[in-house]
Amino acid sequence: MQAEGANIQKELNPLANAEMQFEQAAQLLKIDPGLREMIKRPRRATIVSLPVMMDDGKLRTFTGYRVQHSIIRGPAKGGIRYHQDVTLDEVEALAAWMTWKCAVVDIPFGGGKGGIAVDPNKLSRGELERLTRRYAADLSDLFGPETDIPAPDVNTNEQVMAWIQDTYSMHARRTVTGVVTGKPVIAGGSRGRREATGRGVLFCVREASKHLQVPLAGARMAVQGFGNVGSISAKLLAKDGVKLVAVSDVRGAVHNPAGLDVERLLDHASSTGSVAGFAGGKPLTESIVEYDCDILIPAALENQITHANADRVRAKIVAEGANGPTTHEADQVLTERKVFVIPDILCNSGGVTVSYFEWVQNNIGFYWTEDEVNQRLEQYMVKAFQDVLRLSLEYRVNMRVAAFMLAIKRVVDVIQLRGVYA
Ligand code: NAD
């Protein structure tokens, strides 16, 4: 019983999952064990205590994290998450996935991630701003356009990025736009960044549908999480004729086998704050992961597809909008069942790709049109998908193992050229 509990705990630890995914691919590549150890571990992990004066005059102290997993291919790059369950292990896993993601899509960044253990819905806007600024001030020695560049993640957004940009700039005594990406467009953000992760999911699903010969028009999708990634993925795929049959968020879920009207659902969610109660569908009580559909898009949090439900996934394609939604154990089950999983480090890499475009635009001070951004994004995503697919067919491995192999090889090739200092 105890052993079973320990196994489940291990299965649900994102860091353990990230490491097992890495090991599987590194072994196939026959990477030297010393080098493997070097690139598996995070370069630097920082924990900060963040005192904040609350509106009621009481002082509360929160815990914040920033992990730089790798700076081998360029500055550390990765989002900041505000969530009550954030832990160092989770941030380390997310930082490692960023390293592999940037390498898969071939942009010149390493990997990083940050987070604060807080439920931001329980803070006032003023408290949230003070917490964000304290976090940015405490980490301002790490952050910088050439060293470590944050972006939004779960429960952070353009406003939070603008506060970080401002805090960093005040310390630097000049406006530094390139210190964060995912900023508001008028403060130096990129057109198309808000939609970029969902648009990347669209490009990947299109490529998968061509490869598997599953036509998109008339296909049915179920989307878990209706925030930035889930809602935009649903909206863009619906334009390709995919029917949204089920959707969920943290407050509830609705379904309609005949199709949910995505535009009306977006209006409902933005006015009520949730998909729950949408009149165009019925409340969904079963797990959305097991819903009858062709394309499942987990776009919420980690550990949604596990050993406990992987054999009941009915989709042909799982497009991982979220980071780490499928555990390593569940992955083996899906592979055996020939479910085509587009892994997170490929599927949701559209966000960091347009973050890269944003950073380039900040560095050169010349801004692109939305069409230019979207066209370049498509080129990067289609190439990355095809690179991964080719390796997957060549080595007869699933898309996740192939994506890790591609990424690890790209990082190792740079280390071999640069060498290991002193
Ligand atoms: P978000 O905060 O905008 O949205 C998260 C959504 O998930 C919300 O609708 C929330 O209600 C829902 N959710 C939370 N817990 C849930 C649960 N238990 N069941 C169902 N729904 C639940 O966050 P986001 O930016 O859309 O990020 C979602 C995922 O995508 C995360 O894993 C994130 O790391 C990943 N991601 C985001 C980006 C980006 O550009 N924002 C890029 C790459 C990957």
Side-chain angles (χ1 to χ4, degrees):
M1 200 66 180
Q2 231 172 8
E4 196 186 325
N7 281 344
I8 291 176
Q9 228 176 12
K10 186 171 177 208
E11 187 194 358
L12 300 185
N13 181 326
L15 186 56
N17 277 299
E19 289 183 352
M20 285 186 285
Q21 292 164 346
F22 170 86
E23 286 296 345
Q24 194 181 359
Q27 273 169 22
L28 282 169
L29 287 169
K30 301 191 173 49
I31 307 281
D32 165 80
L35 193 54
R36 234 157 63 193
E37 191 61 21
M38 171 185 165
I39 58 175
K40 187 168 81 174
R41 287 200 199 178
R43 171 180 183 262
R44 172 186 279 169
T46 307
I47 305 179
V48 282
S49 292
L50 306 167
V52 175
M53 189 59 76
M54 306 302 278
D55 292 348
D56 63 4
K58 292 192 178 128
L59 199 57
R60 261 185 76 187
T61 301
F62 298 87
T63 305
Y65 307 91
R66 184 72 186 173
V67 173
Q68 295 180 346
H69 177 260
S70 170
I71 58 163
I72 302 283
R73 286 170 46 91
K77 183 83 192 84
I80 294 175
R81 175 173 295 194
Y82 288 176
H83 195 278
Q84 57 279 14
D85 298 336
V86 163
T87 61
L88 182 60
D89 270 10
E90 181 186 48
V91 179
E92 264 190 47
L94 290 162
W97 283 323
M98 285 307 297
T99 301
W100 312 126
K101 189 180 302 183
C102 293
V104 164
V105 80
D106 209 4
I107 55 177
F109 285 139
K113 203 82 181 191
I116 302 179
V118 61
D119 180 352
N121 300 311
K122 298 202 170 131
L123 301 189
S124 70
R125 185 182 161 90
E127 289 165 344
L128 195 65
E129 178 174 351
R130 292 195 288 282
L131 176 62
T132 300
R133 287 187 182 276
R134 181 69 191 221
Y135 176 80
D138 269 4
L139 294 174
S140 63
D141 288 343
L142 294 183
F143 293 157
E146 286 166 356
T147 50
D148 186 343
I149 310 148
D153 191 74
V154 173
N155 291 330
T156 56
N157 53 23
E158 293 176 4
Q159 177 60 75
V160 172
M161 293 308 114
W163 287 328
I164 296 177
Q165 176 196 6
D166 184 68
T167 307
Y168 183 88
S169 297
M170 288 299 101
H171 284 251
R173 300 273 180 256
R174 67 200 151 84
T175 295
V176 185
T177 49
V179 66
V180 285
T181 59
K183 303 176 283 293
V185 172
I186 53 163
S190 176
R191 293 180 182 84
R193 173 61 184 88
R194 194 182 301 160
E195 298 81 13
T197 309
R199 195 173 292 280
V201 172
L202 165 78
F203 294 140
C204 284
V205 172
R206 274 191 191 158
E207 292 306 299
S209 88
K210 278 186 240 163
H211 169 62
L212 300 172
Q213 298 179 329
V214 175
L216 286 189
R220 298 157 306 151
M221 66 178 152
V223 178
Q224 182 192 45
F226 207 61
N228 175 289
V229 180
S231 69
I232 307 279
S233 302
K235 181 178 163 168
L236 295 178
L237 278 159
K239 289 192 180 149
D240 269 19
V242 184
K243 199 160 63 172
L244 179 66
V245 286
V247 65
S248 70
D249 64 22
V250 73
R251 281 167 52 190
V254 284
H255 76 121
N256 183 347
L260 297 156
D261 182 328
V262 180
E263 290 300 331
R264 280 183 48 220
L265 181 64
L266 283 164
D267 287 344
H268 172 85
S270 82
S271 61
T272 65
S274 172
V275 298
F278 178 58
K282 290 203 172 117
L284 175 68
T285 43
E286 68 179 279
S287 155
I288 193 157
V289 165
E290 298 167 25
Y291 198 82
D292 187 14
C293 63
D294 304 298
I295 303 165
L296 172 66
I297 305 180
L301 294 170
E302 296 94 61
N303 299 331
Q304 301 305 306
I305 308 176
T306 68
H307 79 281
N309 61 7
D311 58 340
R312 293 197 296 274
V313 169
R314 288 193 264 178
K316 299 181 188 77
I317 297 173
V318 174
E320 293 186 337
N323 287 307
T326 309
T327 66
H328 186 65
E329 227 178 299
D331 230 3
Q332 321 304 317
V333 178
L334 296 180
T335 304
E336 272 166 34
R337 294 188 50 225
K338 301 206 172 3
V339 177
F340 189 84
V341 179
I342 313 172
D344 46 8
I345 59 169
L346 168 65
C347 194
N348 69 36
S349 63
V352 75
T353 302
V354 176
S355 277
Y356 163 54
F357 298 163
E358 181 172 331
W359 177 80
V360 169
Q361 293 170 77
N362 292 153
N363 288 345
I364 59 175
F366 181 72
Y367 289 82
W368 309 348
T369 65
E370 190 164 348
D371 278 350
E372 283 170 322
V373 170
N374 292 345
Q375 277 165 22
R376 288 184 170 128
L377 174 62
E378 183 165 13
Q379 284 165 10
Y380 274 75
M381 295 299 305
V382 170
K383 179 171 184 310
F385 187 98
Q386 292 302 335
D387 285 349
V388 173
L389 182 62
R390 211 172 305 116
L391 261 189
S392 134
L393 297 173
E394 186 184 329
Y395 282 84
R396 295 166 185 265
V397 291
N398 67 30
M399 290 286 280
R400 189 182 322 274
V401 176
F404 267 84
M405 288 173 77
L406 179 67
I408 294 169
K409 176 145 180 14
R410 284 183 174 156
V411 172
V412 166
D413 284 351
V414 177
I415 296 176
Q416 273 161 351
L417 288 168
R418 286 180 54 170
V420 177
Y421 180 64

